[in-house]
C-alpha cells in the first residue's frame, strides 16, 4: 500500500508532486491567486484514492491518461472539465469520469476540494469481461458527466469512502490488510463503477444475457486452467481432463467468453505474475517469476504484460 500526504504553497512543487501520483500536467493559478495545495493519496493494487484541494482557482492541463480511468468528485465548489470534445460543469452533484487516451483540461474554482478515484485500465477491462462473459472488443469509454445523486452512485461513493478510510488504517487492523480480501474489495469497486456510470458497454451489461451464469463446462475449465497454469498445458490436455472434445471446449470458450482456452491460460499466467511481482522482495528477478508461471519467451511475455497492464513487468516490480 502506498500513501502520500503533503501541502505546499509552491506551484511548481504542487505540479510535480501531483504529476507523480496521477499524470504530468501544466498547473496555472488563475487571476493571480495563490495555490495552497493540500493532498492525501492512498493506493492499493490497481486502485487509488486522492483527496485534493488547490485552495485558489487553477487551470490544469494534463497529458492524456495512458493506463487508468479517473473519477473526480467535488465535495463542494465547482469546475469545468473538457474531454474528448465535450464539457461538463462539475459540482457535488455531478462527478466527472475521464477515460484514457483522449486529452482533457480542468478549471477549478476557489474552494473546490475533491476526491479522486482512479483504477488501472487493465483492471476495468478484466472486470468488464467477468460481467459480460466475454472479452470487450474495444476500450471502455465512459460518458464524461455522471450524477452522484442516484441510489447506485451514492452506494458506490460509500464504497469508495470506506475504501479510503480503511486504507488510512492499513497495517493497523484494517479489513484490507489481507491481500485476498483487499483484491476482492477492489474488484467489487471496479465492478460497481461499471454498473453505476454510463459507458459504451452499459446497454449490454443491462441486458438479461449479460447476467447469464457460465456453463458448468466453462466453470470447470477455468478452474482447471487456473489451478494448473504453471504447467505446459495444451487445449488437448484440458479437453481430455474434462472428458470433452477439443472442438466442444473451443466452441464453449468462444460462445461464452469470446475467447480461447489458450488466451485464458495466458491471462491467468499474466495475472499470477503480476500478483507475485507486487509482493516480491528486493532482489527478485522478473525472469524467475515469469518462468515459474509458465512463460518461456521473455520478449513475448514482456509485450503481452505491457498490453494487458499498461506498464512493464519491471515497473510493477519496482512499485
Amino acid at each position: 500500500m502506498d500513501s502520500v500526504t503533503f501541502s505546499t504553497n509552491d506551484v511548481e512543487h504542487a505540479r510535480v508532486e501531483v504529476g507523480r501520483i496521477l499524470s504530468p500536467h501544466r498547473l496555472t493559478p488563475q487571476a493571480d491567486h495563490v495555490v495552497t495545495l493540500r493532498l492525501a493519496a492512498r493506493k492499493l493494487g490497481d486502485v487509488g484514492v486522492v483527496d485534493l484541494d488547490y485552495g485558489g482557482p487553477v487551470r490544469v492541463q494534463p497529458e492524456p491518461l495512458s493506463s487508468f480511468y479517473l473519477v473526480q468528485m467535488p465535495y463542494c465548489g465547482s469546475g469545468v472539465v473538457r474531454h474528448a470534445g465535450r464539457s461538463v460543469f462539475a459540482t457535488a452533484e455531478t462527478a466527472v469520469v475521464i477515460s484514457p487516451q483522449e486529452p482533457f483540461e480542468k478549471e477549478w474554482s476557489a474552494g473546490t476540494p475533491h476526491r479522486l478515484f482512479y483504477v488501472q485500465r487493465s483492471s476495468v477491462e478484466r472486470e468488464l469481461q467477468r460481467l459480460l462473459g466475454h472479452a470487450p472488443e474495444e476500450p471502455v469509454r465512459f460518458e464524461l458527466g455522471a450524477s452522484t445523486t442516484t441510489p447506485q452512485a451514492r452506494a458506490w461513493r460509500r464504497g469508495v469512502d470506506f475504501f479510503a478510510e480503511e486504507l488510512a488504517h492499513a497495517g493497523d487492523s484494517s479489513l484490507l490488510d489481507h491481500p485476498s480480501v483487499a483484491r476482492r474489495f477492489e474488484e467489487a469497486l471496479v465492478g460497481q463503477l461499471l454498473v453505476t456510470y454510463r459507458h459504451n458497454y452499459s446497454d449490454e451489461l443491462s441486458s438479461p444475457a449479460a447476467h447469464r451464469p457460465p456453463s458448468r463446462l466453462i466453470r470447470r475449465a477455468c478452474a482447471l486452467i487456473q489451478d494448473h497454469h504453471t504447467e505446459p498445458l495444451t487445449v488437448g490436455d484440458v479437453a481430455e481432463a474434462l472428458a470433452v472434445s477439443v472442438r466442444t471446449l473451443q466452441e464453449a470458450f468462444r460462445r461464452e467468453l469470446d475467447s480461447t482456452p489458450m488466451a485464458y491460460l495466458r491471462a491467468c499466467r499474466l495475472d499470477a505474475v503480476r500478483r507475485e511481482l507486487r509482493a516480491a522482495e528486493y532482489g527478485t528477478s522478473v525472469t524467475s517469476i515469469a518462468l515459474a508461471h509458465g512463460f518461456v519467451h521473455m520478449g513475448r511475455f514482456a509485450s503481452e504484460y505491457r498490453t494487458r497492464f499498461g506498464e512493464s513487468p519491471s515497473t510493477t516490480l519496482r512499485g
Side-chain angles (χ1 to χ4, degrees), residues 1-2 42-48 118-120 123 126 163 167 182-183 186 274 278 311 316 319:
M1 197 274 286
D2 299 322
R42 303 176 184 90
K43 179 177 183 293
L44 182 65
D46 287 344
V47 172
Y118 64 95
V119 54
Q120 290 296 314
S123 183
R126 187 166 57 250
F163 185 70
L167 285 181
R183 186 166 60 253
E186 290 176 45
R274 185 171 178 81
R278 285 175 175 172
E311 65 182 16
T316 304

Side-chain angles (χ1 to χ4, degrees), residues 27-296:
L27 175 62
T28 309
Q30 302 295 288
D32 297 323
H33 283 76
V34 176
V35 169
T36 54
L37 177 76
R38 295 188 297 276
L39 179 146
R42 303 176 184 90
K43 179 177 183 293
L44 182 65
D46 287 344
V47 172
V49 179
V50 181
D51 287 313
L52 179 62
D53 185 3
Y54 287 103
V58 295
R59 185 182 187 190
V60 185
Q61 297 169 285
E63 296 180 3
L65 305 180
S66 60
S67 63
F68 64 91
Y69 291 83
L70 178 66
V71 185
Q72 303 175 98
M73 300 168 282
Y75 287 103
C76 57
S78 62
V80 176
V81 180
R82 303 177 183 89
H83 172 60
R86 296 193 58 204
S87 297
V88 165
F89 188 66
T91 66
E93 289 75 39
T94 303
V96 178
V97 187
I98 303 295
S99 301
Q101 305 304 328
E102 297 285 349
F104 68 104
E105 64 177 29
K106 308 174 279 188
E107 294 178 7
W108 296 115
S109 66
T112 309
H114 47 285
R115 170 157 280 179
L116 309 177
F117 174 87
Y118 64 95
V119 54
Q120 290 296 314
R121 181 177 62 186
S122 56
S123 183
V124 171
E125 292 172 348
R126 187 166 57 250
E127 193 60 31
L128 178 60
Q129 178 171 340
R130 290 174 181 159
L131 291 172
L132 292 176
H134 65 81
E137 296 179 357
E138 57 185 38
V140 182
R141 296 186 301 275
F142 283 89
E143 292 187 2
L144 184 58
S147 172
T148 62
T149 62
T150 67
Q152 279 187 320
R154 290 197 296 267
W156 181 76
R157 177 60 186 267
R158 288 196 299 271
V160 172
D161 292 344
F162 178 81
F163 185 70
E165 181 68 19
E166 288 302 302
L167 285 181
H169 296 90
D172 184 24
S173 299
S174 166
L175 288 176
L176 304 180
D177 288 342
H178 194 287
S180 295
V181 174
R183 186 166 60 253
R184 287 184 173 85
F185 199 89
E186 290 176 45
E187 292 170 352
L189 281 179
V190 177
Q192 191 62 31
L193 172 68
L194 286 162
V195 171
T196 298
Y197 292 138
R198 289 284 304 175
H199 50 81
N200 52 321
Y201 287 95
S202 291
D203 291 340
E204 186 177 354
L205 275 180
S206 64
S207 70
H211 305 287
R212 186 179 301 138
S215 66
R216 182 170 180 268
L217 173 59
I218 287 295
R219 293 198 305 271
R220 292 173 61 211
C222 290
L224 187 148
I225 291 172
Q226 291 170 5
D227 291 343
H228 298 274
H229 74 270
T230 60
E231 302 172 18
L233 291 177
T234 66
V235 180
D237 294 333
V238 178
E240 182 180 1
L242 298 175
V244 298
S245 70
V246 168
R247 181 178 179 180
T248 296
L249 181 65
Q250 290 174 326
E251 288 182 348
F253 267 83
R254 177 190 54 77
R255 182 177 60 253
E256 298 186 44
L257 302 182
D258 193 26
S259 185
T260 67
M262 291 300 97
Y264 187 84
L265 171 61
R266 288 194 297 273
C268 287
R269 287 173 172 170
L270 289 168
D271 290 344
V273 168
R274 185 171 178 81
R275 289 193 297 270
E276 194 161 334
L277 287 174
R278 285 175 175 172
E281 297 181 354
Y282 179 79
T284 304
S285 74
V286 170
T287 300
S288 64
I289 293 177
L291 289 171
H293 288 282
F295 290 100
V296 178

